Amino acid sequence: MNSTQVTCFLEVAKSLSFVKAAKALYTTQPVISYQIKSLESELKLQLFTRDNRNVALTEAGEYLYIHLESLSQKLEEIIGVAREMQREAQPAVRILVRRLVDYSCLTRTLKVFSDNYPLVQVDILTHNEHRTRDLLLSDEIQLAFGYRYEAGQNPRLGFLPLDQACYYVLVNREHRLSAYKYLTFEDLSGEKLILADTELQKNRDLISLKELKKLNIEACHQYSSFDSMLLAVEAGIGITVLPCGKAKKFSGLMKIPLKNVPPIELGLVWARAGGQEGSVIRQFVDTAAQCHGA
């Protein structure tokens, strides 16, 4: 007696119809009939009486149905618990990614890592307003794919450079700067620079507020989120400056290269905590290094 025979038997016994059982199991009536016939032959029992119109359980069939149904339900529960235990024991890596970056170098790593470590679950999380460093050090995430400054000088954090992001000026399509092929900070003199109250916009490696003031660029931090900042730029309230991938597009906005500003390194950031250095986190970092010759 195999699981297919049991499944077909339980479905016919429940509906008392070979046709309905076939529909419920996404198969054909001859298949159901074959499975029931082979089960009856193996058990040397007649499980159903049937004619052209009706199907009924025999006394032996009804007894078998009552007990097999409860056993089947119990088996499903046992298998479900076993699968949940495996999921809980299965190693996992949670990676936080920036929305602005080019993911191509990360996707190559993911493919190779998945091939080499098929039992490790990799979850990709999009960036929120929390500080990446805090999330890494509290083990809420294991890796981040973002900018070098997110690791900073913290000795507890490691950084593997994989790519670079250039700085761009974002303006709406009617802004006077939209006609430029590239810009310098001097070209932004007299403009209102919109900055969001997010970790990315608090990066001081680009240019200091003192330097902005010298160039007559007004820096405004009034926007609480990245998306509200972009909406303000699209509305023409001001401009903003962001490091991002060359292929990244922003609906309703022009993206103009900002010259004479060094690009910012992109890569993997991770916490050097405890035994994790020799675990799946280290394996993922090593895989990324091998994929990109880092």
Side-chain angles (χ1 to χ4, degrees):
M1 183 168 61
N2 59 47
S3 59
T4 303
Q5 292 170 333
V6 171
T7 300
C8 292
F9 168 70
L10 292 175
E11 194 60 46
V12 174
K14 181 173 68 174
S15 63
L16 294 178
S17 169
F18 282 67
V19 174
K20 290 180 181 179
K23 288 181 179 179
L25 297 175
Y26 301 97
T27 187
T28 62
Q29 184 178 345
V31 170
I32 298 293
S33 298
Y34 171 81
Q35 293 296 337
I36 297 300
K37 185 177 180 180
S38 63
L39 179 61
E40 289 179 324
S41 176
E42 185 178 331
L43 297 178
K44 297 181 173 56
L45 290 172
Q46 182 180 357
L47 302 175
F48 297 98
T49 60
R50 45 198 180 274
D51 55 32
N52 292 333
R53 292 187 176 182
N54 300 306
V55 174
L57 282 162
T58 63
E59 186 176 359
E62 187 168 355
Y63 178 83
L64 191 66
Y65 172 58
I66 292 171
H67 290 279
L68 273 183
E69 185 180 35
S70 60
L71 284 174
S72 178
Q73 291 173 351
K74 186 64 177 176
L75 182 60
E76 286 181 6
E77 292 175 8
I78 292 171
I79 293 172
V81 171
R83 285 174 176 166
E84 187 61 33
M85 290 171 66
Q86 177 175 294
R87 278 195 294 270
E88 291 178 357
Q90 187 178 35
V93 178
R94 292 185 299 278
I95 305 175
L96 193 68
V97 299
R98 288 282 187 188
R99 290 187 299 169
L100 298 177
V101 301
D102 178 358
Y103 299 137
S104 58
C105 60
L106 180 62
T107 54
R108 290 196 296 272
T109 299
L110 284 170
K111 176 63 171 66
V112 175
F113 184 80
S114 178
D115 290 341
N116 292 339
Y117 304 97
L119 296 181
V120 180
Q121 177 180 332
V122 179
D123 293 329
I124 306 296
L125 312 174
T126 54
H127 203 278
N128 53 30
E129 305 301 335
H130 298 293
R131 288 176 59 83
T132 302
R133 264 169 272 184
D134 294 339
L135 295 174
L136 285 165
L137 294 173
S138 64
D139 198 36
E140 291 184 57
I141 59 173
Q142 284 71 54
L143 289 159
F145 181 64
Y147 306 112
R148 175 179 281 280
Y149 76 83
E150 293 177 282
Q153 302 301 316
N154 194 319
R156 295 173 59 191
L157 295 176
F159 180 80
L160 175 70
L162 298 175
D163 202 355
Q164 290 184 331
C166 295
Y167 282 93
Y168 292 87
V169 178
L170 270 61
V171 300
N172 76 359
R173 297 183 183 279
E174 298 178 358
H175 197 281
R176 70 172 186 86
L177 296 177
S178 63
Y180 284 66
K181 291 185 177 181
Y182 66 87
L183 293 163
T184 65
F185 268 111
E186 286 72 20
D187 295 322
L188 306 184
S189 178
E191 295 293 337
K192 181 177 180 181
L193 179 65
I194 299 177
L195 303 175
D197 188 23
T198 66
E199 182 179 347
L200 174 62
Q201 290 291 300
K202 291 176 180 177
N203 176 23
R204 297 292 182 259
D205 293 338
L206 174 59
I207 190 169
S208 69
L209 294 178
K210 185 177 180 180
E211 290 173 304
L212 289 173
K213 190 173 181 180
K214 285 182 181 178
L215 292 170
N216 193 29
I217 300 173
E218 179 188 356
C220 175
H221 288 266
Q222 69 187 57
Y223 294 93
S224 60
S225 72
F226 184 81
D227 290 324
S228 60
M229 176 192 70
L230 292 182
L231 284 172
V233 174
E234 187 176 353
I237 296 173
I239 65 172
T240 196
V241 176
L242 292 172
C244 58
K246 185 177 181 181
K248 177 67 180 178
K249 294 182 179 180
F250 298 88
S251 177
L253 297 177
M254 297 287 293
K255 191 178 76 172
I256 307 165
L258 184 61
K259 296 293 184 179
N260 304 325
V261 179
I264 186 169
E265 284 187 307
L266 285 169
L268 287 175
V269 190
W270 71 96
R272 302 180 187 273
Q276 289 182 340
E277 278 294 302
S279 68
V280 292
I281 298 173
R282 186 70 254 175
Q283 291 162 351
F284 193 94
V285 173
D286 289 345
T287 301
Q290 292 166 8
C291 286
H292 303 284

